[in-house]
Amino acid sequence: MPIRTGWFNRFLKRMRFKYRVSIVNENTLAQTWSARLSRMSVFLFLFAFAMVTFVILTALILFTPVRYYLPGFSDSVDRSDVLRVSAKVDSLVNQLEMQATYFEIVKGVISGNIKPDSIPPADSVQFTHRIKDFLEKTKAMENFEKNYKRDKGKTN
């Protein structure tokens, strides 16, 4: 196959042609720095510089906490912590709502607006047990009431 001397060979010749780059002091016209460069060597230098920069920035992002500032690079531990805390907040909100309902019922029973026997059914079995435990008089409470009524009757 014969070697063609076409556009590719002219391109390679142009890329390999050496140029002299020099820095000259404008006041004294003295040459301070010079180098012989070709277009190919400049292209290879810029390509190598870009690759080294890319590798350094990639390492900086992947192996330092900088990655957390970029979207999509969250830690799986952080995600599980968020889910755990979210579940805890939900359970605390439910507990708070149950306590608010409980205190409204207790407030109604103490003020006399609600009879202890007519407490509306609660949503959960646990809440119903708590209300029943609260409303059932303990032995100490019954003894206290008997003593109080007896002592009150003596003073009157």
Side-chain angles (χ1 to χ4, degrees), residues 98-123:
M98 278 182 33
Q99 285 180 351
T101 306
Y102 177 77
F103 287 133
E104 286 299 318
I105 292 171
V106 169
K107 185 177 171 183
V109 169
I110 290 174
S111 66
N113 295 336
I114 300 175
K115 292 183 180 179
D117 296 338
S118 66
I119 295 175
D123 290 340

Side-chain angles (χ1 to χ4, degrees), residues 112-132:
N113 295 336
I114 300 175
K115 292 183 180 179
D117 296 338
S118 66
I119 295 175
D123 290 340
S124 69
V125 175
Q126 182 182 11
F127 186 59
T128 306
H129 289 302
R130 286 184 182 174
I131 292 172
K132 286 180 183 177

Side-chain angles (χ1 to χ4, degrees), residues 14 17-21 35-39:
R14 220 178 310 138
F17 187 78
K18 299 274 185 178
Y19 293 92
R20 182 176 195 88
V21 178
R36 288 182 48 158
L37 302 172
S38 67
R39 291 179 184 176

Side-chain angles (χ1 to χ4, degrees), residues 9 18 58 60 67 77 87 101 107 112 121-123 145:
N9 286 340
K18 299 274 185 178
T58 302
L60 180 74
R67 71 175 170 253
V77 174
T101 306
K107 185 177 171 183
D123 290 340
E145 283 183 15

Side-chain angles (χ1 to χ4, degrees), residues 42-93:
V42 171
F43 174 75
L44 289 175
F45 174 76
L46 290 176
F47 180 76
F49 179 76
M51 290 303 296
V52 167
T53 304
F54 176 76
V55 167
I56 289 172
L57 287 177
T58 302
L60 180 74
I61 289 171
L62 292 179
F63 301 117
T64 63
V66 172
R67 71 175 170 253
Y68 297 123
Y69 294 107
L70 298 175
F73 279 97
S74 64
D75 194 8
S76 62
V77 174
D78 292 341
R79 181 161 173 77
S80 64
D81 285 346
V82 167
L83 292 175
R84 183 179 48 78
V85 169
S86 176
K88 192 176 223 179
V89 166
D90 285 344
S91 67
L92 288 174
V93 166

Side-chain angles (χ1 to χ4, degrees), residues 151-156:
D151 291 341
K152 190 175 181 184
K154 288 181 182 178
T155 58
N156 287 340

